[in-house]
Amino acid sequence: ECVSCHHSTFSLWARELAFDRGLVLNIEELKQDRKWVLEQFLRDRQPNPENPKDVVKEGELNGDRNVEGMAQYLLSPSADFLSEEQRSELKKVALRNRDESGYWDPGGQLPMQKRPKPETRSVSRLWIELANGIESEGAHDFADAKTTEWFAMKAIADDGTSLDALLARQNEGGSWSWIDGEKGSPTATGQALLALGRLGKGQTEAAQSARKWLLTSQQENGSWKTFSTKRRERSGRISNFWGTTWAVIGLLESVKPH
């Protein structure tokens, strides 16, 4: 019953794009999953029986623990099917979790990622503000970013003003690394392609090179091998699923009209 990013929001996002592009998918299943994800975000949070320290606050919803996931839902094609009331409910949950400094505590497994905590907080803020139409002066003046996700989201948030900084990080061969100094990542390359697509740069040489890298690095079973953002030397079911959804999102977001 976990409404996680990798196995729900991003999976739904990827399949929405695939259906929109005319690929054969079960539309009734897609509708059901779209409805389920939304309902789970707005569902009363239940105590975790496997974690006695998990205290549920009065009136707490699942979305209170994964505001980033709600933001990603709002930025995906699934948002086209939301009513104004539903959008308002999601935004209300987001706003009530904002602290006095204007940031959100990163939810889910994000705090365990192997990157500086200030960057994780900044990435969460970028996702949430962009999805909810929130603007705040100086919110993204973060000078020590090391991950492609931050540069991609920053470029989208400022309408391409900082796009050159993202393009400068592209590796030879067309990929982007999840964090500085590492090999190409399906996750990071998908995130960069999302930015390029949303900024109308999906047919540039950089985007074409990135799509080629993704297509040539896909495994025979259709997935992409992706190293964990928590245990950098390992890949597994969750990291591969996450990287695969991001690869599909990047491939399709960068070639669809915006």
Side-chain angles (χ1 to χ4, degrees):
E1 296 185 358
C2 174
V3 61
S4 62
C5 300
H6 40 74
H7 272 61
S8 55
T9 310
F10 289 129
S11 169
L12 184 59
W13 189 341
R15 287 183 291 139
E16 295 273 25
L17 291 168
F19 185 81
D20 184 61
R21 297 309 300 241
L23 299 176
V24 179
L25 291 172
N26 186 325
I27 184 59
E28 294 305 320
E29 183 177 282
L30 191 60
K31 288 179 180 178
Q32 181 180 340
D33 289 351
R34 188 188 296 149
K35 181 174 180 286
W36 181 87
V37 171
L38 176 63
E39 289 177 345
Q40 287 299 309
F41 280 136
L42 299 177
R43 179 184 176 189
D44 290 338
R45 182 168 175 80
Q46 302 299 315
N48 182 355
E50 297 180 2
N51 182 8
K53 296 182 180 180
D54 182 30
V55 178
V56 177
K57 301 175 183 177
E58 184 178 355
E60 186 176 18
L61 305 177
N62 284 334
D64 286 301
R65 300 285 183 102
N66 188 7
V67 183
E68 297 89 349
M70 293 192 304
Q72 290 145 3
Y73 187 87
L74 285 168
L75 288 169
S76 78
S78 300
D80 293 340
F81 302 94
L82 292 174
S83 67
E84 287 304 314
E85 182 180 357
Q86 290 167 334
R87 287 176 181 272
S88 178
E89 283 296 308
L90 293 174
K91 186 172 183 177
K92 182 170 68 175
V93 175
L95 289 175
R96 75 187 186 193
N97 282 280
R98 195 179 195 185
D99 63 27
E100 293 182 355
S101 67
Y103 283 82
W104 285 260
D105 286 333
Q109 301 181 43
L110 293 177
M112 293 177 277
Q113 290 183 328
K114 298 300 183 183
R115 63 176 164 185
K117 290 182 179 179
E119 182 168 355
T120 301
R121 281 169 54 83
S122 185
V123 165
S124 292
R125 184 169 182 171
L126 279 163
W127 276 108
I128 298 164
E129 289 189 344
L130 186 63
N132 290 283
I134 302 169
E135 295 184 7
S136 53
E137 187 176 350
H140 312 304
D141 296 338
F142 183 72
D144 300 318
K146 299 180 182 297
T147 55
T148 294
E149 182 179 13
W150 188 89
F151 285 92
M153 297 310 299
K154 176 69 162 54
I156 296 173
D158 65 23
D159 292 326
T161 302
S162 60
L163 180 59
D164 286 347
L166 173 65
L167 293 173
R169 306 177 76 78
Q170 188 172 24
N171 301 319
E172 289 187 20
S175 68
W176 270 265
S177 303
W178 183 76
I179 195 167
D180 287 351
E182 297 190 355
K183 295 180 180 180
S185 159
T187 299
T189 305
Q191 290 165 345
L193 280 171
L194 168 66
L196 291 174
R198 293 285 172 113
L199 295 170
K201 305 293 184 181
Q203 295 306 317
T204 59
E205 183 178 345
Q208 293 175 9
S209 179
R211 286 194 292 269
K212 182 177 180 180
W213 183 85
L214 283 174
L215 292 174
T216 56
S217 62
Q218 187 180 23
Q219 301 185 109
E220 289 186 5
N221 66 3
S223 70
W224 277 263
K225 183 176 181 180
T226 308
F227 288 98
S228 169
T229 57
K230 296 183 296 182
R231 299 179 178 88
R232 301 301 300 131
E233 73 285 357
R234 301 181 187 178
S235 66
R237 178 178 60 84
I238 291 177
S239 63
N240 289 343
F241 194 99
W242 192 41
T244 298
T245 58
W246 260 119
V248 174
I249 290 168
L251 285 168
L252 296 179
E253 282 275 358
S254 63
V255 294
K256 76 170 190 173
H258 289 280

